[in-house]
């Protein structure tokens, strides 16, 4: 803030409206920001979304329940397994299906592996947004190893379609637990190196500390969730407050920062990667023998009614609501994604900041447009 | 449900009268159905009354039963960890519902989406009355509301609106 900064909202002859995106690398996908600028300062910003709208909810409602799982891969494509879990849970609840205990552990393990992969994308692209290209290369190297592991199990690198109503598609291959443990050993050492590379980097801190502050009241009133909410000092993690699958049996800490700025959201995500590693190790250690797949009805026609799931995806609360009228197809499949909600806060966060800070704030929300546009 | 919550629900019954069409507690989830005219008052009460404190806008969406529209507000209390499902049923003809963006700013984009996909007017929304600003997922000049059961897709040949005509 300098003496040169004009009053927010005051109209001057130097106003300029520019479009950032929909093809700008800093917008992390096809997002367009209509920004009114006064010199370096943002006077107002209106996000324009929908470039990736495929009508996934309507498509899911036009076919039998269990065929909707592959569509969820295309929501948050950085963390598809977490989306698979959300739809599977909603279908299990509306149809009263049970999930074997081993499958619950496999699900939690997969979701946490995907959480690390997703946070690594955040780590890399956020550094790149701010101008530190090296961190991007490091993060993608580790992510590559993790995707290789996921590919060895599920056969896919991004669109897994692996967690399904009733369990997971198949059990782990032989020797998989050792391979995952070996990865985690190396990964945790690398994560410490990332701290030296980026977290303690004075330029990175100047760009993020005190930038884009969200108060806890504002975060709650806007429906923020995940690292955005916990970066503002609100200790809510659905894996804790409304635990599902094997999470009630897991020991892990929920990182919370009270600063509410971009750095706080970054630090929450970095610490979450360590906690995810802890959870994966527990899963591998404590996983019981048994089935990976519950008993399935041949024809799935849940009774008329409604059911929903609330899950903690890497970005926050991912919730799917199903409405049944007793036929084979749902009446409505509703996807409530965290990115959509976080993006709706952007215009308030960036009013009066510099353009470069706007990019830092947008990156710290870690939105994925596949989930925003659906 | 706690004693303050019972008292708050009694107060709500008195305040809304016939506007409160049903109210039940189902496995820890509070399910309410209100007349559309009472929606804003009910929402404000749910957020502010002791024992309810639904301060977190969980979700807002609609569906089309074929005969009427159903709009559901999923609310959550961060302090009391409880969920409420507030429901409004609307006739298809001239369907409109009051905006709750002033109560929960997080409902702003959800309301735009309900308009965009179902054509339900959101009375009192900051962008209400200007379809080009209300549209959110679809292009601002889109015609029709594609999540309605009676929606028939129209391909204009414009690449933005559908496949181009081929010879």
């Amino acid at each position: 803030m300098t003496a040169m900064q004009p009053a927010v909202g005051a109209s001057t002859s130097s106003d300029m409206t520019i479009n950032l995106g929909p093809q700008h690398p800093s917008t992390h996908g096809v997002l367009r920001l209509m920004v009114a600028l006064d010199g370096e300062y943002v006077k107002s910003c209106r996000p324009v979304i929908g470039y990736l709208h495929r009508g996934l909810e309507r498509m899911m409602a036009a076919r039998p329940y269990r065929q909707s799982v592959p569509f969820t891969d295309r929501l948050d494509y950085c963390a598809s397994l977490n989306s698979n879990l959300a739809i599977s849970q909603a279908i299990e609840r509306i149809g009263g299906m049970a999930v074997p205990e081993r499958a619950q552990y496999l699900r939690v393990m997969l979701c946490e592996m995907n959480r690390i992969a997703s946070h690594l994308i955040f780590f890399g692209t956020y550094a790149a947004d701010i101008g530190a290209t090296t961190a991007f290369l490091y993060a993608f190297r580790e992510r590559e190893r993790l995707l290789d592991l996921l590919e060895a199990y599920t056969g896919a690198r991004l669109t897994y379609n692996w967690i399904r109503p009733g369990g997971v598609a198949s059990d782990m291959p032989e020797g998989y637990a050792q391979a995952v443990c070996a990865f985690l050993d190396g990964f945790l050492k690398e994560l410490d190196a990332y701290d030296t590379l980026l977290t303690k980097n004075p330029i990175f801190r100047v760009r993020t500390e005190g930038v884009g502050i969200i108060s806890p009241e504002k975060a709650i009133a806007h429906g923020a969730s995940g690292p955005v909410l916990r970066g503002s000092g609100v200790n809510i993690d659905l894996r804790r407050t409304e635990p599902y699958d094997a999470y009630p049996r897991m020991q892990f800490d929920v990182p919370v920062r009270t600063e509410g700025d971009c750095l706080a959201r970054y630090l929450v995500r970095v610490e979450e990667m360590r906690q995810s590693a802890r959870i994966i190790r527990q899963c591998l250690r404590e996983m019981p023998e048994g089935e990976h797949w519950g008993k399935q009805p041949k024809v799935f026609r849940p009774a008329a009614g409604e059911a929903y799931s609330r899950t903690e995806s890497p970005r926050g609360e991912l919730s799917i609501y199903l409405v049944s009228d007793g036929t084979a197809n749902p009446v409505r499949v509703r996807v409530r994604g965290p990115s959509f909600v976080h993006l709706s806060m952007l215009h308030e966060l960036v009013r009066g900041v510099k353009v470069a800070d706007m990019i830092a704030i947008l990156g710290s929300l870690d939105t994925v447009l596949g989930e925003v546009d659906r | 449900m706690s004693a303050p919550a019972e008292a708050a629900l009694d107060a709500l019954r008195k305040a809304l009268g016939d506007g409160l069409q049903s109210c039940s507690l189902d496995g820890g989830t509070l399910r309410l159905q209100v007349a559309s005219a009472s929606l804003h008052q009910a929402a404000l009460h749910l957020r502010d009354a002791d024992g309810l404190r639904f301060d977190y806008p969980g979700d807002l969406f609609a569906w089309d039963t074929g005969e009427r529209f159903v709009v559901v507000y999923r609310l959550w209390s961060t302090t009391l960890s409880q969920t409420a499902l507030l429901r409004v049923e609307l006739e298809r003809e001239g369907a409109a519902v009051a905006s709750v963006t002033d109560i929960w700013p997080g409902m702003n984009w959800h309301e735009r989406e309900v308009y965009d996909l179902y054509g339900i007017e959101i009375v009192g929304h900051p962008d209400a009355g200007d379809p080009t600003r209300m549209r959110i997922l679809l292009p601002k000049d889109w015609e029709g509301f594609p999540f309605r059961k009676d929606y028939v897709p129209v391909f204009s040949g414009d690449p933005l609106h559908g496949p181009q005509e081929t010879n």
Side-chain angles (χ1 to χ4, degrees):
Chain A
M1 302 280 269
T2 65
M4 293 295 287
Q5 187 184 351
V8 174
S11 182
T12 61
S13 54
S14 54
D15 278 6
M16 193 203 314
T17 303
I18 61 156
N19 281 301
L20 189 73
Q23 304 290 353
H24 192 281
S26 291
T27 57
H28 296 234
V30 275
L31 166 68
R32 171 173 158 217
L33 301 176
M34 289 166 65
V35 194
L37 293 178
D38 188 347
E40 275 282 308
Y41 294 95
V42 176
K43 290 188 68 179
S44 70
C45 162
R46 190 172 167 89
V48 180
I49 62 170
Y51 292 95
L52 215 55
H53 179 58
R54 296 145 289 175
L56 286 177
E57 292 170 335
R58 178 83 192 234
M59 283 200 265
M60 288 194 261
R63 60 201 72 231
Y65 287 85
R66 288 176 292 194
Q67 289 182 20
S68 54
V69 180
F71 290 96
T72 61
D73 285 331
R74 279 88 185 157
L75 290 168
D76 175 356
Y77 38 73
C78 298
S80 302
L81 286 162
N82 291 272
S83 317
N84 289 171
L85 180 71
I87 188 83
S88 299
Q89 271 187 9
I91 295 172
E92 284 151 11
R93 280 182 196 166
I94 206 162
M97 273 185 223
V99 182
E101 209 181 342
R102 184 175 176 84
Q104 295 183 9
Y105 278 85
L106 287 168
R107 283 176 170 199
V108 168
M109 179 192 82
L110 285 168
C111 283
E112 294 303 325
M113 285 167 77
N114 218 173
R115 188 183 311 274
I116 294 179
S118 171
H119 282 352
L120 281 173
I121 296 189
F122 162 78
F123 179 90
T125 55
Y126 193 50
D129 281 347
I130 289 189
T133 334
T134 320
F136 180 85
L137 302 172
Y138 277 78
F140 271 63
R141 182 190 59 187
E142 294 312 304
R143 176 172 173 267
E144 192 63 23
R145 289 177 184 153
L146 192 48
L147 290 192
D148 285 346
L149 275 175
L150 285 169
E151 189 182 8
Y153 182 7
T154 69
R157 295 167 59 78
L158 281 177
T159 50
Y160 307 102
N161 183 24
W162 200 250
I163 295 175
R164 299 182 192 170
V168 294
S170 87
D171 213 327
M172 291 189 292
E174 213 171 301
Y176 195 66
Q178 289 84 333
V180 173
C181 283
F183 163 78
L184 289 177
D185 289 338
F187 171 69
L188 288 173
K189 277 197 204 97
E190 293 295 334
L191 203 52
D192 292 337
Y194 293 177
D195 271 345
T196 323
L197 189 71
L198 200 59
T199 316
K200 291 178 188 159
N201 181 320
I203 301 171
F204 178 75
R205 293 189 83 100
V206 167
R207 289 295 310 280
T208 54
E209 227 163 348
V211 174
I213 295 177
I214 307 175
S215 69
E217 298 78 27
K218 191 174 189 169
I220 290 172
H222 277 83
S225 52
V228 177
L229 189 59
R230 294 191 286 277
S232 292
V234 184
N235 188 353
I236 291 176
D237 185 323
L238 294 173
R239 295 175 293 172
R240 259 290 150 64
T241 48
E242 296 193 358
Y244 46 89
D245 280 342
Y247 283 116
R249 298 183 282 274
M250 295 293 147
Q251 306 260 319
F252 63 101
D253 298 324
V254 176
V256 177
R257 309 281 308 187
T258 51
E259 298 88 347
D261 55 5
C262 291
L263 184 65
R265 294 189 276 281
Y266 162 86
L267 290 172
V268 164
R269 291 195 184 95
V270 170
E271 183 54 31
E272 273 188 10
M273 288 197 267
R274 294 199 175 89
Q275 297 301 325
S276 292
R278 248 177 100 186
I279 297 173
I280 295 169
R281 281 192 206 276
Q282 285 175 69
C283 280
L284 291 169
R285 209 166 43 230
E286 294 161 16
M287 194 180 297
E289 292 298 321
E291 292 289 316
H292 65 274
W293 188 249
K295 236 186 156 162
Q296 292 273 329
K298 271 229 169 71
V299 184
F300 187 69
R301 272 181 215 277
E306 295 155 31
Y308 65 96
S309 61
R310 285 182 86 190
T311 61
E312 185 76 26
S313 91
R315 285 169 185 77
E317 176 181 341
L318 175 65
S319 163
I320 296 188
Y321 200 105
L322 295 174
V323 182
S324 164
D325 61 355
T327 59
N329 296 359
V331 175
R332 175 77 159 114
V333 181
R334 159 68 181 173
V335 179
R336 183 267 193 214
S339 297
F340 182 83
V341 175
H342 292 153
L343 198 55
S344 77
M345 301 172 72
L346 183 72
H347 72 284
E348 284 194 22
L349 298 178
V350 302
R351 205 174 293 141
V353 307
K354 284 188 176 171
V355 178
D357 286 345
M358 181 176 76
I359 300 301
I361 293 169
L362 174 64
S364 77
L365 298 176
D366 192 21
T367 52
V368 166
L369 269 294
E371 187 189 79
V372 174
D373 291 343
R374 281 161 281 146
Chain B
M1 186 144 266
S2 64
E6 294 289 356
L9 288 176
D10 279 340
L12 186 66
R13 276 187 202 102
K14 282 204 192 79
L16 297 186
D18 290 342
L20 185 66
Q21 293 163 342
S22 73
C23 173
S24 65
L25 197 63
D26 165 21
T29 300
L30 181 63
R31 289 174 188 271
L32 301 140
Q33 184 167 330
V34 298
S36 62
S38 304
L39 174 77
H40 192 272
Q41 198 186 348
L44 201 58
H45 190 79
L46 286 172
R47 187 190 66 177
D48 292 337
D50 269 336
L52 300 177
R53 300 277 176 213
F54 291 104
D55 52 353
Y56 187 86
D59 199 359
L60 159 53
F61 57 98
W63 72 85
D64 182 358
T65 66
E67 284 126 38
R68 56 173 70 84
F69 297 125
V70 182
V71 185
V72 167
Y73 301 73
R74 183 166 61 76
L75 309 170
W76 197 56
S77 167
T78 55
T79 46
L80 304 170
S81 288
Q82 56 191 9
T83 302
L85 292 168
L86 175 64
R87 184 180 166 116
V88 184
E89 293 197 0
L90 304 169
E91 295 303 323
R92 295 179 76 94
E93 203 62 39
V97 76
S99 170
V100 292
T101 296
D102 55 330
I103 302 176
W104 298 283
M107 292 297 196
N108 186 329
W109 278 23
H110 293 313
E111 289 183 337
R112 282 176 65 190
E113 190 183 322
V114 165
Y115 169 79
D116 196 14
L117 302 178
Y118 291 94
I120 298 171
E121 294 293 334
I122 312 291
V123 180
H125 186 278
D127 294 326
D130 182 353
T132 60
R133 285 181 69 86
M134 278 301 274
R135 288 276 186 201
I136 183 162
L137 293 174
L138 301 173
K140 60 184 179 184
D141 55 350
W142 192 271
E143 284 176 21
F145 303 101
F147 275 38
R148 287 187 178 192
K149 291 267 186 214
D150 54 5
Y151 177 76
V152 183
V154 180
F155 294 119
S156 62
D158 176 342
L160 257 183
H161 294 82
Q164 281 189 313
E165 280 171 345
T166 49
N167 294 322

